[in-house]
Amino acid sequence: ASGAALNDATFKLRKGAVTVDGSFITEVHVVAETGRKEGELVHAVFWANELNDFNTGKNMITGFCGKRPFFLGPMKSFSCGNLVIQVKHSSATFTTPEWQSTVRGNFVYDNLAGPTHRLDVSLRAVGSGMVAPGQTHGLVGQSFSTPGPRNGKRDVYPPWGRFRTSAMAEGAIEGTAEMYELPSGDAVEFGFSRFHATPQAADQGKLLLAAGEASAVDEGGDLGVVGGPSLAAASGRPSRRLSDGN
């Protein structure tokens, strides 16, 4: 399971003509079963606030493997049961037998207030490269459960002035964004969670979908979720923890 924390930011766009009050992903949480013993989990966190002027940091990723803490900086790798983490200069991959999430650190350009760094996230299936319908969910993960693109509400920025983002993926996600909120970074249970669900297999006679890749990337302060089979969406300004995919 992966989740993200969003924090408010104020910044300039269009060469300073527009002042935007929006939000960016500042934490990415990855939780997986270790597979070593029943109920044991690994919880890894990529922290945007640990990135420096060179867009890297010696403790940019921290977490717990069971009860054992770990700290990772650039060019390090770590494995805990089913989860393998590989860190580059300002990005990292989190790989399980079924999924791979790539997180990239970046700057909040022309920042006026709020976080100075952001995180961009992509998710893809590994192994067979196929996903059974209904097997995944979350803001990003549900884009793998339908064969075509899911186009949601997006903010339209004015040519000048001040603008507050408000789009919350209406029309692209099941339910509302509030239904994906989590109480903590290591939480996996929400209304649509698939974390403890039994995996669906090809021999069950159900149509499998090509996995593709879905991403949560910066689009001027919105959480744009894109990819194919895609969820094209945007979320606005709240500072909270949301489930990306289970």
Side-chain angles (χ1 to χ4, degrees), residues 131-195:
V131 179
Q135 182 177 333
T136 63
H137 217 292
L139 288 174
V140 177
Q142 67 188 278
S143 62
F144 292 92
S145 293
T146 54
R150 305 174 69 172
N151 299 304
K153 181 181 178 182
R154 291 179 179 269
D155 288 305
V156 178
Y157 296 91
W160 61 81
R162 187 149 193 157
F163 180 78
R164 182 179 293 276
T165 62
S166 62
M168 295 295 291
E170 296 93 335
I173 60 173
E174 186 174 0
T176 63
E178 289 78 9
M179 299 172 73
Y180 297 82
E181 292 186 27
L182 300 169
S184 62
D186 60 352
V188 296
E189 295 293 347
F190 64 105
F192 306 111
S193 176
R194 300 290 189 269
F195 188 79

Side-chain angles (χ1 to χ4, degrees), residues 24-169:
F24 291 94
I25 296 175
T26 55
E27 301 171 20
V28 172
H29 296 256
V30 177
V31 181
E33 294 179 336
T34 65
R36 301 185 304 193
K37 60 182 179 180
E38 185 176 359
E40 185 181 54
L41 299 177
V42 51
H43 175 208
V45 191
F46 195 130
W47 304 92
N49 64 5
E50 287 290 331
L51 299 175
N52 56 30
D53 291 343
F54 301 99
N55 208 32
T56 191
K58 64 179 182 179
N59 289 322
M60 53 203 280
I61 296 171
T62 65
F64 282 87
C65 176
K67 296 182 179 179
R68 180 166 60 95
F70 60 87
F71 306 84
L72 299 176
M75 313 312 295
K76 300 293 184 180
S77 61
F78 180 79
S79 63
C80 175
N82 287 325
L83 180 65
V84 177
I85 305 171
Q86 294 180 306
V87 188
K88 295 184 179 180
H89 178 78
S90 57
S91 66
T93 57
F94 301 83
T95 307
T96 70
E98 297 85 20
W99 297 96
Q100 182 177 84
S101 180
T102 301
V103 183
R104 297 176 176 86
N106 208 336
F107 298 98
V108 176
Y109 295 100
D110 295 321
N111 169 271
L112 298 176
T116 58
H117 288 81
R118 70 172 198 261
L119 301 175
D120 297 335
V121 189
S122 64
L123 181 68
R124 71 178 184 90
V126 298
S128 67
M130 303 294 283
V131 179
Q135 182 177 333
T136 63
H137 217 292
L139 288 174
V140 177
Q142 67 188 278
S143 62
F144 292 92
S145 293
T146 54
R150 305 174 69 172
N151 299 304
K153 181 181 178 182
R154 291 179 179 269
D155 288 305
V156 178
Y157 296 91
W160 61 81
R162 187 149 193 157
F163 180 78
R164 182 179 293 276
T165 62
S166 62
M168 295 295 291

